[in-house]
Amino acid sequence: MVLERSVEDLISEIQYKAKITRGVADRTVRDWFTKGVKAPDLSREGVVTELYLVYLPFWRFVAQGKAVACGYSEYTEKTGNVIRNIFEELIDEEFIWTECACDTGKCGITKLWLDPGGEVPYVRGSVVSMDAGGSAIEASKRGREEVHRMIKEAAAKRIQVLTLEKTFLIPKVFELVYAPVWIAHYSYKGGDYTAIVDGVRGEVLGGTAPNNLTARTRMMILTFTAGGIMIGSSIAMLIHPGPYQISELFQIILLLLGIAMCMAAYPAFKEGRTFVSSGSMQHILALSPATRVPKQLTDNEILNHESTLLKCPVCGEVVEQPWGEVVSACKKCHHLLDVTANTVKLVPYDVAKPDLLARTAMKGMDPEYIPFWKFEVDFNVTDRLAGGETKTGLPDISGKRSYYICAADIPRYVSEPWEIDLTIRNPEIVEDFAGREGTYLTILMNQNTARKLTEFLYLRYETEKPGILQVLRYNFQVDNARILYIPYYKEKTSYIPGI
Amino acid sequence: MADTPNGIPAPLVCSGAAASLIDEERAREIAGEWLDGEKNPVVPDETIQFGKAVLIYYPFWKFSREDGGEDVIVYRPACGTLLSGLQDLQREETRVVPVPKDANILPATVFSTVYLPELHGIARGEELVGIPLWMISYKVKNSIYMMVVNGESGLVYPGWHPVKEPAVWKRTALTAFIPMVLLSMTAVYLSPWFFILAAGLLIIFLYRSRMFGMVNTKYLEGKDGS
Ligand SMILES: [Zn+2]
């Protein structure tokens, strides 16, 4: 996904609606006072000095993660036999990464606790919010890396030794989400503390509280009396055995144990100052609401302002990067353009003509043209090893052939069988030069992502073969990317291909 | 929040600021006095190490209201903040001076309309005012804390700070430890019945911990603690 150009000014900002009122938040904090190992008189002595609603910003990166991981895990039986389990894992699920975009200091909120859904557009200034600090580009990079790591972890969960691992990522959304929280500052016996209440579901998310002094004093007394008894009696026994027939070793162990207990307990109970506390106050300036870092223009761009404008390479019309990852048509000359951060590339395309059979069967219906990326791919498998039965009726798709990746907004579980079918069949395409009227679906996946998916398509196909794949080494080359619009006839909820 | 012709809200700019009457040295003094003072929340035998002090102007909405024949002025923060003490800022001085040129002023990000539902009386005016706040960081043991001192009035907004505890841990530990060592030694030499005595003493300790000076009653019952 090409976020780089547009992130700073065009990043979508949404917010959750606060559903918790001041009264409910106040009650939640008071309930929280009575729970856990907090000072027992906190609900009586604690005074809420301030209670206010504020929205915290979070970066959110949603991506479809895809991975193929092969390998094995071994364990040794009692008899000495080594049992090897071989695995072949296929991951295809949605991953969500979030990160707090402001410093919450001692409150220690680092991740968004809410799931996507129910958000409304964020209007600047209409609510009290902390400003998002830092660079969106950096955040999106961190998100991408983190999601890659999450995919890897999910794929290799059961596998000790990996023999093959490939991860792919299709970015879906990168956005700034504002989540409401009630901040309650309260004082207790000269100390100042803070509690944070989720403004959507009304749970306490974190904060600081004085903890139970009586409980800690008692724990201290308990451990020190126990320690005292252990140390006292063991010393006495070591000097004068008396009527107790206990081995000296045990007495020494008892002595050491007593000393260790006291030494461990003293700092532990003395330091237990607060109930919940995390985060740091180290960056004093970060505590002030930060301002967003705007996109940095290079010196050259500033000198030559014209160069920041992107133009159609065919007709010179100024083009704008539309939000999201899209290939769009030039408004003037209708050529397809792949607008990325700094460049505009012309994308060659063809429109396939529905074949005779489809035209007669679907008479009177207009097809929808669904865009596919078509690549000329050369896969060379150098090494393949699979456990179990490997004889297969499935055709081989390595070697030179065309690969198809659906670029439209169609659920992947629908489009993936089409891709495999088209890649296996490599149908003869009859070009439609007439420039047929009809519905052309938008291209929502750019060339880079599609190119990476060709490798996944191959790997996925290989894992679908019977047997458990263990080793697969290959080199491959992808050339000649173009868009091919393939006609599909829509019938109720299913699509019937026109070729 | 006047709209420009394009419908894009004009940036919110402070029309003035409260005068910064307290310089860095004085701000540090105030912070030190507060930490050392009678109400002092810091464990006294820990040394406090002061770090950076930064003067930041926070934007506030100043609402002038007429409520029941009286003129009332209410201040509300015009940017998001997690600092304590700023939600209902009190200001005795009403004068406003131009914002100093090199002032470190935070952008206002909240429209005044956000606060209107909670205000009483008849609106008589509203303006954005920058309030100078000294952010002073200090270190106790290995933790870093921050205190805010109002640059105009010298008021302290303590925020999260170390808390002195009304417990005397050393005494607690020794009161529990020494009698137990002696009792159990006697028990081994003389009679195991002394262990029962030790158990009894433990129960007394647990229920009457204050009696043995384990909890600093002077702190618990107020400053003079007679
Ligand atoms: Zn053009």
Side-chain angles (χ1 to χ4, degrees):
Chain A
M1 185 179 215
V2 183
L3 293 163
E4 284 69 13
R5 186 182 177 80
S6 41
V7 250
E8 299 301 355
D9 35 346
L10 279 178
I11 187 159
S12 73
E13 294 186 323
I14 53 174
Q15 71 172 67
Y16 287 94
K17 270 191 171 164
K19 291 186 183 137
I20 301 298
T21 59
R22 179 182 296 273
V24 175
D26 186 71
R27 223 170 28 241
T28 310
V29 172
R30 278 170 208 289
D31 274 353
W32 180 70
F33 281 174
T34 62
K35 286 179 194 141
V37 272
K38 299 190 193 70
D41 56 350
L42 181 58
S43 49
R44 212 166 356 102
E45 300 276 332
V47 179
V48 177
T49 49
E50 281 170 291
L51 182 63
Y52 59 98
L53 188 69
V54 68
Y55 284 72
L56 300 179
F58 293 86
W59 301 113
R60 182 159 68 192
F61 181 57
V62 184
Q64 188 73 20
K66 291 167 179 286
V68 173
C70 301
Y72 56 87
S73 295
E74 285 180 335
Y75 69 94
T76 315
E77 278 191 326
K78 273 190 191 137
T79 53
N81 287 344
V82 177
I83 304 290
R84 175 181 282 199
N85 285 327
I86 54 175
F87 296 102
E88 172 196 273
E89 307 270 15
L90 186 74
I91 299 286
D92 192 355
E93 46 189 90
E94 196 175 81
F95 290 85
I96 300 173
W97 169 88
T98 60
E99 183 188 79
C100 189
C102 71
D103 189 345
T104 58
K106 71 208 173 205
C107 308
I109 291 173
T110 53
K111 283 193 161 58
L112 182 60
W113 59 94
L114 299 165
D115 295 324
E119 300 92 331
V120 294
Y122 170 77
V123 182
R124 257 164 206 275
S126 64
V127 289
V128 181
S129 59
M130 296 294 286
D131 220 346
S135 149
I137 294 173
E138 291 300 317
S140 79
K141 269 187 203 148
R142 281 199 298 281
R144 188 179 281 257
E145 274 166 25
E146 198 51 30
V147 170
H148 258 301
R149 200 193 51 74
M150 283 152 76
I151 301 169
K152 267 206 172 94
E153 207 178 85
K157 209 186 284 168
R158 297 191 294 165
I159 307 174
Q160 271 174 7
V161 182
L162 284 166
T163 51
L164 171 70
E165 191 197 33
K166 294 270 172 188
T167 57
F168 304 89
L169 178 155
I170 307 176
K172 286 181 176 168
V173 195
F174 182 72
E175 60 198 352
L176 199 52
V177 191
Y178 288 85
V181 290
W182 283 95
I183 306 283
H185 292 304
Y186 66 97
S187 64
Y188 167 79
K189 292 187 177 168
D192 298 280
Y193 306 89
T194 302
I196 300 192
V197 180
D198 169 10
V200 178
R201 292 185 305 207
E203 289 155 18
V204 174
L205 296 169
T208 52
N211 72 3
N212 194 332
L213 195 68
T214 320
R216 269 163 57 210
T217 314
R218 284 183 184 160
M219 286 308 288
M220 183 85 110
I221 293 171
L222 214 60
T223 42
F224 271 82
T225 38
I229 290 171
M230 281 156 83
I231 293 169
S233 38
S234 56
I235 289 175
M237 281 188 279
L238 280 170
I239 300 168
H240 167 79
Y244 308 99
Q245 295 305 312
I246 302 169
S247 78
E248 258 175 46
L249 182 71
F250 177 75
Q251 291 165 18
I252 292 170
I253 289 175
L254 196 67
L255 177 68
L256 295 178
L257 211 66
I259 295 172
M261 213 163 86
C262 292
M263 280 172 65
Y266 187 71
F269 293 121
K270 189 184 170 213
E271 291 299 319
R273 192 164 287 138
T274 46
F275 176 61
V276 203
S277 170
S278 53
S280 71
M281 297 282 263
Q282 283 185 14
H283 310 288
I284 175 170
L285 277 175
L287 273 166
S288 57
T291 21
R292 197 104 58 80
V293 181
K295 183 185 188 283
Q296 293 285 311
L297 293 174
T298 64
D299 292 348
N300 198 26
E301 280 175 325
I302 295 164
L303 279 174
N304 184 7
H305 185 67
E306 276 281 292
S307 69
T308 57
L309 295 176
L310 296 172
K311 285 178 178 165
C312 169
V314 182
C315 67
E317 174 83 359
V318 173
V319 288
E320 258 181 31
Q321 159 95 20
W323 175 246
E325 178 175 323
V326 272
V327 172
S328 52
C330 170
K331 283 193 193 93
K332 203 166 160 192
C333 66
H334 304 291
H335 282 91
L336 278 184
L337 303 173
D338 188 355
V339 187
T340 62
N342 307 305
T343 56
V344 184
K345 269 193 232 147
L346 192 66
V347 180
Y349 72 97
D350 305 308
V351 180
K353 199 176 193 171
D355 56 24
L356 192 67
L357 188 71
R359 265 178 296 161
T360 37
M362 297 289 156
K363 218 173 173 73
M365 277 178 71
D366 279 330
E368 262 180 28
Y369 288 90
I370 297 179
F372 282 78
W373 282 102
K374 185 184 167 203
F375 298 96
E376 298 312 318
V377 182
D378 192 358
F379 255 103
N380 256 314
V381 178
T382 55
D383 202 357
R384 186 182 195 279
L385 180 73
E389 182 57 52
T390 52
K391 285 260 185 305
T392 159
L394 290 172
D396 187 17
I397 59 164
S398 62
K400 264 192 178 163
R401 60 176 53 242
S402 302
Y403 274 59
Y404 292 84
I405 300 293
C406 182
D409 182 23
I410 284 172
R412 297 293 301 165
Y413 66 89
V414 177
S415 61
E416 265 165 16
W418 298 350
E419 291 170 358
I420 293 202
D421 172 58
L422 286 166
T423 306
I424 292 173
R425 281 201 293 142
N426 260 232
E428 200 67 45
I429 305 296
V430 182
E431 259 183 76
D432 201 336
F433 292 105
R436 200 173 279 266
E437 286 293 307
T439 322
Y440 288 80
L441 296 193
T442 329
I443 302 165
L444 289 172
M445 187 187 288
N446 76 7
Q447 209 194 101
N448 270 336
T449 308
R451 189 181 283 264
K452 285 182 193 138
L453 283 181
T454 57
E455 196 186 348
F456 183 72
L457 182 96
Y458 178 74
L459 283 170
R460 190 196 157 98
Y461 184 73
E462 284 300 308
T463 58
E464 273 170 9
K465 288 181 180 173
I468 300 170
L469 188 65
Q470 283 293 283
V471 178
L472 190 66
R473 289 197 193 93
Y474 53 85
N475 38 54
F476 73 107
Q477 213 186 328
V478 184
D479 296 308
N480 203 11
R482 54 198 299 128
I483 286 284
L484 177 66
Y485 284 101
I486 297 176
Y488 276 79
Y489 292 93
K490 201 174 181 180
E491 208 169 51
K492 281 177 192 157
T493 53
S494 64
Y495 287 92
I496 295 155
I499 58 168
Chain B
M1 45 166 284
D3 283 8
T4 56
N6 299 328
I8 303 159
L12 301 167
V13 180
C14 288
S15 55
S20 171
L21 305 171
I22 286 165
D23 62 359
E24 181 169 347
E25 206 181 326
R26 180 74 194 116
R28 282 174 188 277
E29 259 174 50
I30 291 172
E33 277 164 23
W34 189 84
L35 287 168
D36 278 337
E38 271 297 296
K39 281 204 303 186
N40 149 14
V42 180
V43 184
D45 42 322
E46 309 294 354
T47 46
I48 302 158
Q49 229 183 313
F50 280 100
K52 255 201 301 196
V54 189
L55 184 70
I56 296 175
Y57 282 79
Y58 267 65
F60 277 81
W61 282 109
K62 178 188 174 188
F63 296 101
S64 306
R65 296 258 147 178
E66 196 185 310
D67 193 6
E70 262 180 79
D71 287 332
V72 186
I73 289 174
V74 180
Y75 289 91
R76 290 280 184 270
C79 65
T81 177
L82 299 176
L83 298 176
S84 62
L86 303 186
Q87 295 306 310
D88 193 17
L89 187 94
Q90 298 299 323
R91 189 164 168 254
E92 282 175 17
E93 186 62 61
T94 47
R95 268 186 310 137
V96 165
V97 297
V99 184
K101 258 202 202 105
D102 54 347
N104 194 351
I105 189 159
L106 293 178
T109 56
V110 180
F111 294 145
S112 60
T113 44
V114 171
Y115 291 112
L116 294 184
E118 58 181 85
L119 298 174
H120 304 284
I122 309 151
R124 284 283 177 258
E126 59 185 42
E127 63 175 316
L128 263 179
V129 179
I131 305 285
L133 299 173
W134 281 103
M135 313 269 150
I136 302 169
S137 66
Y138 61 97
K139 199 171 153 190
V140 176
K141 269 194 178 168
N142 293 319
S143 308
I144 294 171
Y145 302 88
M146 195 182 67
M147 183 188 284
V148 180
V149 175
N150 189 318
E152 185 190 34
S153 64
L155 274 175
V156 174
Y157 311 113
W160 172 238
H161 56 73
V163 179
K164 182 208 249 172
E165 289 186 321
V168 188
W169 296 110
K170 237 177 235 165
R171 202 185 299 174
T172 307
L174 290 178
T175 319
F177 185 71
I178 293 168
M180 289 303 162
V181 173
L182 296 176
L183 271 175
S184 50
M185 282 175 95
T186 334
V188 172
Y189 282 126
L190 297 176
S191 146
W193 285 105
F194 279 91
F195 278 124
I196 310 262
L197 196 64
L201 193 60
L202 169 65
I203 291 166
I204 296 171
F205 277 162
L206 290 183
Y207 282 93
R208 311 288 308 161
S209 49
R210 198 174 291 180
M211 204 171 78
F212 294 90
M214 291 167 178
V215 174
N216 188 343
T217 43
K218 186 180 163 201
Y219 186 84
L220 266 187
E221 277 146 27
K223 280 175 268 178
D224 32 281
S226 46

